Amino acid sequence: MPSPSHGHSHSHSHGPAAPVSKHLRKVIAAVLIPFATAVFIGMVVLWPGGAPAHERTGVGFDRQTQQGKVVTLAQVDCKSVNASQVPPTGDTSTPEGREAQAAQTGECKKATIEVTSGTDKGRTFFEIVQPGAPRQLAKDQEVVVAYAPDAPRDLQYSVIDVNRKFPMALLAGIFAVAVVIVGRMRGLFALIALAVSFTVLTLFILPAILQGSNPLLVAVIGASAIMLIALYMCHGLTARTSVAVLGTLVSLLLIGLLGSWFIGWAFLSGNTDDNTGLIHGLYPEIDMSGLLLAGVIIGSLGVLDDVTVTQTSAVWELHQADPKMGPRALYRAGIRIGRDHIASVVNTLVLAYAGAALPLLLLFSIANSSVGSVANSELVAEEIVRTLVGSIGLVASVPVTTALAALVVSADRPGAPDTTTAAGPVRGGRGRRRKR
């Protein structure tokens, strides 16, 4: 998922995979088995065994948190509770002046918060909510509170966010049900593959990077493991899926090379906001530019899977429709389908990144900055490089995968089919055996 996975997917209705000759299966296995073995060995060597421990700084996300609940909520005069930290300036033309004046003259809310988890369960504290605060509280609302053990007792707890676990879990449940209802067994296997992807991300990629392993190497190995598991689980252990895996692998290598080159050439540090600054402060040994490149690779993987599977399936279906078509004719027909896919996927990827950076773009618009100045800033330049490098990989994946699929499917020997290779976790179509 941006992710963002930033994520993009299409529903593919794949019929039964065409049987391929034993010779082709041996060639594909000779390429993929060493690759899968190398990925497995890489994961074993770099396996972190959990994130390294450190003392909490109390800054940003690096805080001790507990659950809480708003018990009571009362209206109070802001001035009586000294809500304003800045005296009124008298100048209401500035945001600071308006905020200070409102805090002195407006109506605030005094919330009584009860801690509902941890060793201090049942303890209460007060929180003052100013009228212009972006986060307002309501009675019986569940919240997340931060705990600062070194602070004075009255200031140890404070509200930092609301508890959104239930609506988020409900939305995830609706998504899972919709996928299973529409996708049936394929949808179920897709959800299992999604869970495996998050497992690899949280148990291998993130802890390995925190332990000081090279972020690019970790991302390549982790993304390859996700790709192998997700594609074969969702689409079956077939030659068609193997071609999609090869096309995805070539495109990922291209994205890694281009990303490494342009991130270094553009002097992108990867340390551009409070979160990356906090990571660099806690773990200074982490290569932040490498972390940026790792994000580009992982973020591109989901869309690459979609493109390569679609192109491979298109070539296979064209061959089944007209078995007399040679590799050149298959390639030309497949690439025409791929051009339409490129247009939609690239537009989707660009809009996804633009949507994620929309608040930042609004700030530049308010400041009347020129397009050149905006693009030159590191914050925006990172997103531009991320988008363009990923898009180049996507564009390249279409001819590469189409060519591989055309060569493989046209090199099949009709006299030596092996229908057992068409077996996968699920079968599309009506399961009717095709005569060769």
Side-chain angles (χ1 to χ4, degrees):
M1 208 263 161
S3 155
S5 143
H6 318 283
H8 173 74
S9 62
H10 291 298
S11 297
H12 305 294
S13 180
H14 301 149
V20 296
S21 66
K22 187 178 294 185
H23 172 72
L24 279 180
R25 289 192 293 113
K26 288 181 178 179
V27 172
I28 294 172
V31 176
L32 289 177
I33 290 178
F35 169 63
T37 303
V39 171
F40 176 76
I41 293 174
M43 291 188 70
V44 171
V45 172
L46 296 177
W47 191 262
H54 72 278
E55 292 186 6
R56 291 185 179 272
T57 62
V59 179
F61 290 102
D62 194 39
R63 290 180 283 189
Q64 298 183 38
T65 59
Q66 299 293 345
Q67 300 300 312
K69 183 179 181 180
V70 179
V71 179
T72 62
L73 199 64
Q75 295 281 350
V76 294
D77 183 64
C78 291
K79 191 173 183 179
S80 66
V81 293
N82 194 26
S84 176
Q85 301 297 322
V86 182
T89 60
D91 182 8
T92 58
S93 62
T94 63
E96 293 82 2
R98 289 193 297 269
E99 183 179 350
Q101 188 177 56
Q104 286 283 1
T105 59
E107 287 290 324
C108 292
K109 295 179 181 178
K110 183 178 182 180
T112 303
I113 313 295
E114 179 183 353
V115 180
T116 57
S117 65
T119 56
D120 288 336
K121 183 177 180 180
R123 179 175 166 181
T124 60
F125 65 95
F126 299 105
E127 183 88 8
I128 302 300
V129 183
Q130 297 186 16
R135 181 179 60 247
Q136 298 292 319
L137 299 179
K139 190 176 183 299
D140 296 326
Q141 186 177 28
E142 295 184 350
V143 294
V144 179
V145 298
Y147 175 60
D150 297 333
R153 180 174 174 80
D154 293 342
L155 302 176
Q156 286 183 335
Y157 283 96
S158 61
V159 177
I160 59 171
D161 211 339
V162 298
N163 191 329
R164 304 180 181 90
K165 290 182 180 179
F166 179 74
M168 299 294 285
L170 179 62
L171 181 60
I174 295 173
F175 163 74
V177 170
V179 169
V180 172
I181 289 176
V182 177
R184 298 186 180 180
M185 288 303 296
R186 282 196 182 274
L188 178 60
F189 277 104
L191 291 177
I192 296 174
L194 180 62
V196 172
S197 300
F198 274 102
T199 301
V200 173
L201 181 65
T202 55
L203 295 185
F204 172 69
I205 296 178
L206 298 181
I209 291 175
L210 289 178
Q211 283 199 347
S213 299
N214 185 289
L216 176 58
L217 182 61
V218 171
V220 169
I221 293 175
S224 299
I226 291 172
M227 172 186 66
L228 289 170
I229 295 171
L231 285 180
Y232 282 118
M233 182 174 290
C234 293
H235 304 289
L237 192 62
T238 64
R240 181 161 65 180
T241 307
S242 299
V243 172
V245 168
L246 290 175
T248 305
L249 175 61
V250 173
S251 303
L252 280 179
L253 291 176
L254 176 62
I255 289 173
L257 291 174
L258 283 176
S260 179
W261 186 22
F262 280 97
I263 287 174
W265 193 10
F267 296 99
L268 298 177
S269 65
N271 188 2
T272 53
D273 56 24
D274 294 339
N275 294 328
T276 53
L278 178 59
I279 292 172
H280 184 64
L282 294 174
Y283 300 96
E285 67 278 4
I286 293 180
D287 179 9
M288 299 304 294
S289 60
L291 187 63
L292 172 62
L293 180 56
V296 173
I297 292 174
I298 294 173
S300 303
L301 178 60
V303 194
L304 272 177
D305 288 353
D306 174 58
V307 173
T308 55
V309 169
T310 300
Q311 286 306 113
T312 306
S313 298
V315 173
W316 240 262
E317 295 299 329
L318 288 169
H319 177 69
Q320 291 189 34
D322 186 3
K324 296 180 181 180
M325 292 180 70
R328 290 187 178 180
L330 285 172
Y331 178 80
R332 287 195 296 268
I335 206 69
R336 286 195 294 270
I337 298 173
R339 291 190 185 106
D340 291 335
H341 205 199
I342 286 173
S344 62
V345 168
V346 169
N347 191 50
T348 299
L349 192 63
V350 171
L351 290 179
Y353 283 123
L358 194 59
L360 178 64
L361 297 177
L362 283 175
L363 288 177
F364 282 113
S365 178
I366 292 171
N368 291 322
S369 300
S370 65
V371 175
S373 299
V374 172
N376 190 64
S377 67
E378 186 169 0
L379 272 172
V380 177
E382 278 189 6
E383 298 303 325
I384 292 175
V385 170
R386 192 194 309 268
T387 302
L388 296 182
V389 167
S391 298
I392 291 171
L394 289 175
V395 172
S397 70
V398 171
V400 168
T401 307
T402 306
L404 285 173
L407 289 173
V408 169
V409 76
S410 62
D412 188 15
R413 296 184 177 91
D418 186 355
T419 56
T420 59
T421 59
V426 288
R427 289 182 180 267
R430 300 180 180 177
R432 183 176 55 194
R433 180 175 295 178
R434 187 172 60 90
K435 295 182 180 180
R436 299 298 303 243

